[in-house]
Amino acid sequence: MANDKEIPIIIKCKFVTGKAIKRSNDLNLINVSESKIYDFGSKSSFFCTISDKTDELKLLNNEISNYLFDDYIFIDICRNTYPYNIGVGISYTFLEDYFPEIFDLKDEKIEEILKNFEVEFISKFSLLSYKYLEFYKDYSKSVFKSLLLQSYCLQLICDFSGYLKGGLNDNKSMKAQSLENKKIKEILQKVMSELYKTSPTVQEMANMADMSVSKFKLIFNNEYGESPHQHILGKRLTMARELLQTGSYSVSQVCYKVGFNHPSGFTRLFKQKFQCTPSKLFFSN
């Protein structure tokens, strides 16, 4: 593998939009000079292009778009300055059959997944890179090149599909978490708008968010860095300080305005947070 490190692998994932009015019946007929396309009987669901010249592969890929009806992801792989540059095309429809959650292959998240796939492919000790190098060695001396190419193409599509599924699941999880965070923020805003009322319990807030108490507390802590009780208490005391600083309300009035039932308990908590009693702050204003 020493020589392989000196000859870097180049991989590029890109979107190709077909220009054809209707599907082509036989992509195998397309060729540029000695370079050609192998459809492997998939009726354009996926195919492979191979060339010993990078420029020819680019021309072939450009020519292919005139025969394609669908949107495709193209994965182009080559070893710098070496022959056997490969391009694998996978149709949007083919992927959508396996991953119904794909709504738009061109959104930012999918593009991010493709970029990460490129990085993973060429990273040190990458299994994807190793498979390609092994294919490269075998292909150069094989008498069954078409079968070997088809085998590698299918394996790459399988690996890519698994990588895509993992990325989409991560995205799905992030979206779900985002919705949960939004629910918690809405509940918190409601509590903050009614500070004069006794705070709902964590159980009650969890019920409002349609979550278990443990899940509610975990997401809340991740978002705000403290427990729901600590966060709401801090907001109450901060609001109390702001009201006292106006000089318009007595300590007792402020105590009840921010949802405390007992002035003595309010005074004790206020002093713990601000190292100053409410009455001292009131009279200083």
Side-chain angles (χ1 to χ4, degrees), residues 42-285:
S42 72
K43 297 183 180 179
S44 307
S45 293
F46 55 87
F47 53 82
C48 177
T49 57
I50 188 163
S51 172
D52 60 358
K53 297 181 178 65
T54 303
D55 290 341
E56 283 190 8
L57 185 64
K58 289 179 180 178
L59 287 172
L60 185 59
N61 285 347
N62 289 336
E63 180 69 13
I64 287 171
S65 65
N66 294 317
Y67 292 81
L68 298 178
F69 178 76
D70 207 346
D71 287 331
Y72 283 75
I73 286 179
F74 266 46
I75 305 173
D76 292 339
I77 314 167
C78 66
R79 295 180 69 189
N80 197 18
T81 72
Y82 268 62
Y84 307 134
N85 304 295
I86 295 176
V88 176
I90 315 169
S91 79
Y92 172 87
T93 303
F94 176 79
L95 289 170
E96 193 176 36
D97 287 341
Y98 287 90
F99 310 114
E101 62 269 37
I102 295 178
F103 295 103
D104 186 357
L105 279 177
K106 298 177 183 178
D107 68 20
E108 291 183 3
K109 182 59 186 177
I110 299 297
E111 289 191 6
E112 180 185 335
I113 292 172
L114 296 186
K115 290 291 183 185
N116 290 339
F117 182 75
E118 291 176 7
V119 172
E120 174 68 20
F121 199 105
I122 62 176
S123 63
K124 193 175 182 180
F125 307 123
S126 164
L127 183 58
L128 294 168
S129 178
Y130 175 76
K131 287 179 180 179
Y132 172 71
L133 292 172
E134 289 301 302
F135 157 75
Y136 179 90
K137 291 174 184 176
D138 292 340
Y139 187 83
S140 61
K141 56 189 177 184
S142 175
V143 294
F144 303 104
K145 293 187 184 300
S146 179
L147 289 175
L148 188 62
L149 184 62
Q150 182 177 9
S151 175
Y152 177 72
C153 177
L154 291 171
Q155 181 62 62
L156 179 63
I157 291 172
C158 182
D159 289 338
F160 175 77
S161 299
Y163 196 89
L164 180 61
K165 184 176 181 179
L168 289 171
N169 286 341
D170 289 344
N171 188 42
K172 196 173 181 181
S173 175
M174 288 173 65
K175 285 181 178 178
Q177 188 173 357
S178 177
L179 289 173
E180 290 165 345
N181 288 343
K182 184 179 179 182
K183 280 185 181 179
I184 288 177
K185 286 180 180 179
E186 288 173 350
I187 292 167
L188 186 59
Q189 286 174 355
K190 186 177 189 307
V191 173
M192 291 298 103
S193 69
E194 300 175 338
L195 280 180
Y196 59 90
K197 295 183 179 179
T198 301
S199 294
T201 65
V202 175
Q203 178 69 69
E204 289 170 336
M205 288 188 285
N207 290 342
M208 291 164 65
D210 196 24
M211 300 178 197
S212 67
V213 171
S214 58
K215 184 176 184 179
F216 181 88
K217 290 168 71 175
L218 177 63
I219 295 175
F220 194 102
N221 194 280
N222 288 339
E223 182 71 19
Y224 297 101
E226 55 188 349
S227 71
H229 173 73
Q230 289 172 324
H231 188 79
I232 294 171
L233 177 61
K235 292 289 186 181
R236 289 184 185 281
L237 293 172
T238 298
M239 177 64 75
R241 182 177 64 177
E242 291 173 358
L243 291 172
L244 287 168
Q245 287 173 335
T246 67
S248 302
Y249 307 97
S250 69
V251 172
S252 294
Q253 286 175 319
V254 169
C255 168
Y256 298 123
K257 273 184 175 293
V258 297
F260 287 92
N261 296 322
H262 304 289
S264 59
F266 165 65
T267 298
R268 175 174 55 80
L269 292 170
F270 190 96
K271 186 176 181 180
Q272 285 179 0
K273 183 170 180 64
F274 300 115
Q275 290 76 53
C276 170
T277 63
S279 57
K280 184 175 181 180
L281 182 62
F282 174 76
F283 287 116
S284 67
N285 290 283

